[in-house]
Amino acid sequence: QVQLVESGGGLVQAGDSLKISCEVSGLTFRDYTMAWFRQAPGKEREFVAVFRHMGARTYYADDVKGRFTISRDNAKNMVYLQMDSLRPEDTAVYYCAAGRPILSAVRLSSIYNYWGQGTQVTVSS
């Protein structure tokens, strides 16, 4: 049984930093691309960042580039999202996802096979 469990969300102030984590079990972690998506109230789920298992390349949404960093630890089956210079508009439920998308599809939520339950990140102004 595949499980993705996010943790580390919380309430922070604008400009603060926060690191969220996702623990993965039930699959061969190193063979999967791992991504973070987020969904704010009343909005669609959107791509945040991805760490491809092939070539270990990372990609980011334009509005988080330079502020967020995705990383993974294949020995621990963990993926992380370090979020710096947080803004109120970063407030959302953050989800980790596992899949094997081709490069052109890494930003598409529909491609990912497995999802966590989400962790709430709230940034106050």
Side-chain angles (χ1 to χ4, degrees):
Q1 180 182 359
V2 177
Q3 285 191 310
L4 284 70
V5 180
E6 300 96 337
S7 61
L11 173 63
V12 297
Q13 293 187 332
D16 284 353
S17 297
L18 191 67
K19 186 174 185 178
I20 56 177
S21 305
C22 176
E23 183 174 11
V24 181
S25 60
L27 53 76
T28 305
F29 183 75
R30 65 178 180 275
D31 291 342
Y32 280 79
T33 286
M34 297 301 303
W36 287 97
F37 289 79
R38 66 186 181 187
Q39 187 166 18
K43 294 187 177 182
E44 293 187 353
R45 191 169 298 189
E46 64 176 7
F47 167 79
V48 176
V50 63
F51 197 126
R52 294 194 78 213
H53 69 290
M54 297 177 65
R57 293 289 300 273
T58 59
Y59 302 91
Y60 297 90
D62 287 343
D63 58 348
V64 307
K65 199 174 298 182
R67 299 189 299 122
F68 290 11
T69 303
I70 186 172
S71 60
R72 63 189 291 166
D73 185 334
N74 286 346
K76 296 182 178 180
N77 286 11
M78 297 288 294
V79 60
Y80 307 97
L81 186 68
Q82 175 67 45
M83 302 181 288
D84 299 320
S85 302
L86 281 161
R87 305 167 180 168
E89 52 264 40
D90 295 318
T91 295
V93 177
Y94 284 72
Y95 299 90
C96 68
R100 293 175 175 175
I102 58 175
L103 179 57
S104 61
V106 294
R107 300 169 187 258
L108 300 178
S109 60
S110 58
I111 298 298
Y112 290 84
N113 307 98
Y114 305 105
W115 292 82
Q117 82 290 347
T119 187
Q120 176 71 47
V121 173
T122 303
V123 184
S124 64
S125 57

